[in-house]
Amino acid sequence: MRISTAYSFDSSIDNLQKRQTEMSQSQMQLTSGKKVNVASDDPIAAARAERALASISREDANQRSLDASRNVMQLSESAIGDAVSLLQTARESMIAAGNGSYSDKERQALALKLKDIRAQMLTIANRSDGSNGFVFGGQGSATPPFLDTTTGVQFVGQGGQVQAAAGETLNLTVDGDQTWLKAKTGNGVYKTNPVSTNTGAGWITAGSVTSPSALPYPADPSITPPQYAVNFTVNAGMTTYSVTKDGGGTTLTDVPYVSGKAIVIDGMSFAVSGQPADTDSFTIDQATNDLSVFDALDSAINSLTTSNLGSGQVMQAVNQGLSNLDSILSNVSAARSAVGESLNRMDSIEGRITASKLAAETERSNAEDLDMVSAISKFQNQQTGYEAALKSYAMVQKLSLFQYING
């Protein structure tokens, strides 16, 4: 079999080109640090890497949502902490207002302090989240969600919470309506109030629960909650009281009145102190969850700025103000706990995001990253082979007729 000179030339050139292409590809891999630079290098590995990159992008988006949510929750936790401090100060002022030696001027000075606290509370409720939104904006609001009107502070936003578009539940706002305007009235189960026509010096406490199983509250939603009334009678210098239910049957009749002694009925215990006048009355109703922090402060301010109040009226205002502030503090503290729980949960979420992203990074690396030690060794072998091919081609060039004649 004869091998022509032309075939030898073509074969040598093809070998050189092939080795040069292999070296060029190896050089590109060494430069980029990847064994898959285009899909044609390894279609299966390229697909694996693409899926991993998509997963990494999703986790990056989840991380951004988490960071945004954490920022809002930290702002809200700080805001609620400021509010708790202010409410504690307001509570101290209400306790001071109960001092029997205080004059109207001194109580009015405390009212001015409460007005300043109210203004600060409104600023806190309208706190910005730093990105053209509001921390307590509910489901979003382009304007401050709380508006101070002639009838009190109104929530003009939308109740609820905005959530980030992520695989986890991440809140971007706090429900301001629930936080600031939805505390329980009274002691959280029932509320006690004096009748506005009372003329005596008696006042009623917020009360407590003695037997939860005997309570008429909370009543079934299908029925109207029962209402109790404590009615006082003064006859020949002797004060007695009777307790009626729903204006009908009398559950207690002509009980001798002792100031501060507990009245226990249907699992409830409360006390009337001071000296009620004849026909004075106090009511007991089911508590509702519509107590606003601003209405509570407005009520306390109004009481402290009213002149010539009797001792009983002062004590009633103080007791009711303290009861309202305690309920509001409980509601605000619950909101703060919920925010704290969200922040704790975010630590776990961040751990899951980090783990998922690491797994995707590992998968991408396995699919496309280059083993540098192996690649360098391979390149050196290719370089040696290319040099050998060049020498072989140089030898083939000497096989031409002209070289033979000249030789």
Side-chain angles (χ1 to χ4, degrees):
M1 177 180 175
R2 280 190 317 176
I3 299 176
S4 66
T5 304
Y7 177 80
S8 297
F9 271 100
D10 289 342
S11 178
S12 298
I13 291 173
D14 288 343
N15 189 30
L16 279 173
Q17 288 176 337
K18 179 182 177 182
R19 292 183 179 277
Q20 190 174 33
T21 300
E22 290 174 348
M23 282 183 61
S24 176
Q25 185 178 16
S26 294
Q27 284 178 322
M28 182 182 296
Q29 290 176 342
L30 287 169
T31 302
S32 65
K34 296 181 179 181
K35 63 183 178 183
V36 179
N37 290 287
V38 293
S40 59
D41 291 342
D42 188 338
I44 295 177
R48 287 172 57 200
E50 191 65 29
R51 286 194 296 269
L53 286 171
S55 180
I56 292 169
S57 297
R58 285 195 300 272
E59 297 307 331
D60 285 340
N62 288 339
Q63 184 64 50
R64 290 191 293 271
S65 296
L66 177 67
D67 292 341
S69 180
R70 178 182 280 123
N71 177 60
V72 172
M73 292 300 103
Q74 288 174 339
L75 286 172
S76 61
E77 200 280 334
S78 175
I80 294 174
D82 293 342
V84 168
S85 297
L86 288 172
L87 290 171
Q88 291 286 7
T89 302
R91 194 178 189 283
E92 292 169 4
S93 298
M94 287 304 299
I95 292 173
N99 191 323
S101 65
Y102 272 25
S103 65
D104 287 345
K105 290 292 185 182
E106 287 171 312
R107 279 192 285 271
Q108 287 168 6
L110 291 173
L112 289 176
K113 188 175 182 179
L114 291 180
K115 285 181 179 179
D116 180 63
I117 289 174
R118 182 189 186 278
Q120 292 182 66
M121 290 293 293
L122 183 59
T123 301
I124 290 172
N126 283 328
R127 183 165 292 183
S128 170
D129 63 3
S131 58
N132 298 321
F134 298 90
V135 173
F136 300 101
Q139 293 188 36
S141 177
T143 58
F146 290 91
L147 182 64
D148 198 0
T149 69
T150 55
T151 57
V153 174
Q154 305 293 325
F155 181 68
V156 294
Q158 181 67 38
Q161 295 172 309
V162 174
Q163 293 186 344
E168 303 278 358
T169 302
L170 297 170
N171 296 326
L172 295 177
T173 60
V174 176
D175 189 348
D177 184 45
Q178 183 66 41
T179 302
W180 307 113
L181 307 183
K182 297 297 183 184
K184 283 280 190 180
T185 56
N187 58 21
V189 178
Y190 62 91
K191 56 184 177 180
T192 59
N193 287 296
V195 174
S196 59
T197 55
N198 286 359
T199 59
W203 68 92
I204 189 170
T205 63
S208 60
V209 174
T210 58
S211 177
S213 60
L215 281 173
Y217 308 123
D220 189 282
S222 63
I223 65 173
T224 302
Q227 183 186 69
Y228 295 79
V230 183
N231 304 306
F232 285 84
T233 302
V234 179
N235 186 14
M238 182 176 179
T239 304
T240 60
Y241 66 86
S242 299
V243 180
T244 61
K245 183 177 180 180
D246 288 334
T250 302
T251 56
L252 294 175
T253 306
D254 296 333
V255 180
Y257 168 68
V258 178
S259 178
K261 184 177 180 179
I263 299 172
V264 181
I265 184 170
D266 292 349
M268 299 177 290
S269 175
F270 48 88
V272 176
S273 299
Q275 187 54 54
D278 188 36
T279 72
D280 278 2
S281 185
F282 299 87
T283 60
I284 298 91
D285 293 291
Q286 179 171 286
T288 56
N289 61 334
D290 57 359
L291 178 61
S292 161
V293 60
F294 305 103
D295 289 347
L297 289 171
D298 286 340
S299 177
I301 292 167
N302 182 63
S303 298
L304 297 182
T305 53
T306 303
S307 302
N308 302 318
L309 290 178
S311 60
Q313 292 172 308
V314 171
M315 292 307 300
Q316 185 65 70
V318 169
N319 275 275
Q320 193 160 19
L322 288 173
S323 176
N324 288 342
L325 288 173
D326 286 343
S327 182
I328 288 166
L329 275 167
S330 177
N331 188 60
V332 171
S333 296
R336 190 178 190 181
S337 296
V339 170
E341 181 58 34
S342 293
L343 288 170
N344 289 337
R345 185 163 51 83
M346 286 178 195
D347 293 336
S348 298
I349 293 173
E350 186 167 36
R352 290 196 292 272
I353 289 174
T354 301
S356 180
K357 185 176 179 180
L358 178 60
E361 290 278 11
T362 301
E363 173 66 11
R364 183 203 60 78
S365 178
N366 291 337
E368 66 178 15
D369 283 357
L370 185 68
D371 182 346
M372 295 300 291
V373 174
S374 175
I376 291 173
S377 176
K378 178 181 177 183
F379 178 73
Q380 289 175 339
N381 290 336
Q382 289 172 337
Q383 197 170 35
T384 301
Y386 181 69
E387 290 172 354
L390 279 175
K391 292 179 180 179
S392 175
Y393 178 68
M395 296 297 294
V396 170
Q397 281 185 320
K398 296 179 181 180
L399 297 177
S400 69
L401 179 61
F402 300 104
Q403 290 285 346
Y404 178 77
I405 295 172
N406 290 331

